[in-house]
Amino acid sequence: MRRTLPAVLLFVLLGRGLQAQEPVTCKPDETFGQCRERWLQTGSGLVRAELARRNDRVLAAGTQETAHRLNAKHSGPDLSAGGPSAIRDFLPRISAALLTPTTGLGAGDFGVRLNVPMSGTGRYNPRSTLQLGLVMHKPEIATPVLGAVPAGRRSAAKDELASHLGAFDDVSVTGALNLETRHFGRSLRPLQDEVGKLLASILAPVLNGPQDSDMQGFTDFVRQIDRALKAPEPSGLAPDHLHDSHCVLRTVQGGPGAEGVLDLPPACLTPAVQLRIRRWIAVETGATQRSIELDVALVGTSGFNRIAQLVNNQPQLNVTGEYRGRRAVSGASEWTGRARWEMGFGNMNGLRKRCAIPDAACLENYLKSPRTRWALDHAARMWGQVDLHRRNRWRVDLPRDSVHFSQRVGATYALSGGYGQYFGNAKDGDSRDRIDLDARYDAVRNDPLRQDRLVASASYTRRLSDESSAVFGFRYANRPEFLGDVDHRFGGNVGFTYKISQPAKR
Amino acid sequence: MCNPFWSNILGASILRVDVTVTGGATVAGSVVTTKPDGTAERRTVTITDFPLALPIENGIAQRVSVHAASDGDPGTATVMADVKGDIRGPDICTLEVDENHLAAITTVTAIGG
């Protein structure tokens, strides 16, 4: 059954012989070249109608499936409940558009962020997008510092301390790196060569097939006519135009005359030659139309139009870091870092595992395998994240106000992860039920105000209609106070939530 | 299908064809070189083979067909063709593909002589 459809289409769409070809009509005031362009661009109605009739069922089904499938690729809003998604934070596909500095900071803040594509040349320069940022926050007196000042002096101390704060007393330096290699990231750039060869393999029946030969046949025919017309005794010219300067072909560079037969109007040539040219234009037009139709069929049936989905499911590794340096009265200086990994199942790495050099047959087999079909239909994704936060030693001495405030070095290490998938028919896109699981553990060191925390949740989203859904969820926390807002509590550590979302009334 | 490029050239020259792609477009194509004796050589090309520089001499014809296909996302393939000394060039056409128009084609032809 493999490759059956393209083979059948190829057989059905074989080009017709020149003699049997209905010639196109050319207007008296246009050259053959203009006539050819007009026909190639508008196409042959006859050929299109014929092909449309034959391929209607196949192509319509393929197109419809594609439209529904593409709707299903989004991972849903709940998947990254444990933290922002690398995909949304740092979308490699639009990085080129983000080369201009961007802002979007809080009130009173000023800064700049810049996305810098890295070429990937060299061991320490992996192909990736690097984002660098510098933010100057509006410095304010830290609340614990003010709290330590005697109440009677607090307002005056605040004004006095604030008057000494400058623009660089609360500054963040940020960096983020998103890998874009053959194995990581959602960028098509590093895969261009591989995907291009895959397409060439899929389109091989067209690139080396009878359609291409028909198109080439027109070129060969024009070469012959050009030679005949440039001969000392030209053949093919209409007797009435033998000495017409408009019908002469140029024989020397920069000389008088037209460049080739396609630059001549029909009247210059004998009716027999005109007919042959018009037939060849019809052959080329038909071959081009058939090539396009066969390309569409091959791309659709081979699954090439699912490559975007496979790229979309590639693992992503996103690493971010920030240092926020503050003057002591504004707060402690802090380091934060995050590494996030995310992937969907059924991706380019999986295709490559099946065959080192992906070709048409390999792609077809991969997409037909039950595991891949399940993964793509359910848009299953998982993610994991590590967060680090370190607060420097913080000490404030204000002898005039009898303030001697200090905190030891503190740190938090957090590990989180999640999984999400849809249920039901892939044709329903994201209008179907889905489940999301996530968990996060925070380990706190040297912070008397915070404790280790474990929170895990499972939520099921039930689609009630196109615009409304019900979300049911269970949440577990190692301490009751970490459960947050829940609708019902079971014991101290487990909660149940439910919510029905409906479109906002206008 | 956008404007097919066609050029007749007297004397030796070079046909240059380049392709740039954006979004979800990928290209593959073929190059057919016809020699003065009528024999033809054919080869398949992909995006990494561009830009092409194909010699044109008396009696030699070069035809490049560029097929653009969508990987499922919308995208464009811009084909630029130029023959040094050809008053009609350079010619540029953009093929647009998306999930509803999975493929598009254009051809570039140059005949020497």
Side-chain angles (χ1 to χ4, degrees), chain A residues 89 97-115 131-137 174:
Chain A
D89 276 352
L98 295 176
L99 283 171
T100 50
T102 58
T103 54
L105 308 164
D109 295 344
F110 176 78
V112 63
R113 282 193 285 268
L114 188 70
N115 270 17
Q131 188 180 68
L132 299 173
L134 176 72
V135 180
M136 289 182 287
H137 303 275
T174 61

Side-chain angles (χ1 to χ4, degrees), chain A residues 210-230:
Chain A
Q211 288 79 16
D212 196 47
S213 300
D214 283 345
M215 284 191 262
Q216 177 62 22
F218 181 79
T219 307
D220 295 341
F221 169 74
V222 170
R223 286 174 70 230
Q224 293 166 15
I225 293 287
D226 276 355
R227 279 184 184 178
L229 291 174
K230 285 176 182 174

Side-chain angles (χ1 to χ4, degrees), chain A residues 130-147:
Chain A
L130 175 69
Q131 188 180 68
L132 299 173
L134 176 72
V135 180
M136 289 182 287
H137 303 275
K138 184 183 178 185
E140 291 177 347
I141 308 303
T143 306
V145 174
L146 278 181

